[in-house]
Amino acid sequence: MLDVVYIHAKDPEYPESRRKTVGEMEEYVKGLVYELKFNGISTDFKSVEGDHNDVTINGKSLKDIIRDLGDDIRIPEVGEGETSPVVSIGSRDPKSWNIDCVEDISDLLMKNAFSISYAEARKEKLPTY
């Protein structure tokens, strides 16, 4: 189970942000949650007002999840002449984002955060022998 919360106080002030408004970011995260549910992953989403903008997954801040990943960012393998329907790559480096503006996170980093959070949640549920 993934518990996803988008906390927002105001529209981002970073002009190069990938998502320009709280509404745009909320729709983006909802879309990702829908994809997860469609693929059989139990996911809950809430959008709440707060004193800052952030996304938490299972209580952990997106910034912390990405920071913990370090250089272990997964990029989907795509064959020659194929395009990836899984990750949207824009004109900017997908590994770059303004860490102070959660709305600027790339699709690649966001999906890595969801993947690692799901793996951690599954790991906690696995029995040990």
Side-chain angles (χ1 to χ4, degrees):
M1 167 72 155
L2 293 179
D3 183 29
V4 181
V5 180
Y6 174 43
I7 305 160
H8 49 85
K10 60 183 178 176
D11 287 339
E13 296 175 353
Y14 180 59
E16 289 83 29
S17 176
R18 288 175 169 94
R19 285 155 215 92
K20 305 293 185 202
T21 66
V22 164
E24 192 177 336
M25 181 66 173
E26 183 174 348
E27 288 304 311
Y28 169 69
V29 177
K30 278 184 190 177
L32 294 176
V33 167
Y34 175 78
E35 284 181 42
L36 292 166
K37 287 181 177 183
F38 184 77
N39 286 292
I41 299 172
S42 179
T43 310
D44 185 42
F45 173 72
K46 292 179 188 158
S47 177
V48 298
E49 289 190 25
D51 60 354
H52 66 290
N53 292 14
D54 199 3
V55 172
T56 63
I57 305 172
N58 291 348
K60 193 170 182 181
S61 170
L62 191 59
K63 293 176 187 180
D64 293 335
I65 296 168
I66 298 300
R67 197 174 289 127
D68 290 349
L69 278 172
D71 292 332
D72 199 24
I73 305 294
R74 305 287 183 200
I75 299 174
E77 293 182 19
V78 180
E80 188 175 324
E82 296 178 355
T83 59
S84 172
V86 178
V87 175
S88 171
I89 306 285
S91 59
R92 289 175 46 204
D93 177 2
K95 290 184 180 181
S96 79
W97 72 303
N98 180 340
I99 197 164
D100 295 320
C101 179
V102 72
E103 291 81 7
D104 187 47
I105 190 162
S106 71
D107 198 45
L108 177 73
L109 291 178
M110 182 64 108
K111 289 181 178 177
N112 269 264
F114 275 105
S115 295
I116 195 71
S117 297
Y118 178 68
E120 286 175 357
R122 294 281 299 160
K123 185 177 173 183
E124 290 172 7
K125 288 183 142 186
L126 294 175
T128 55
Y129 298 99

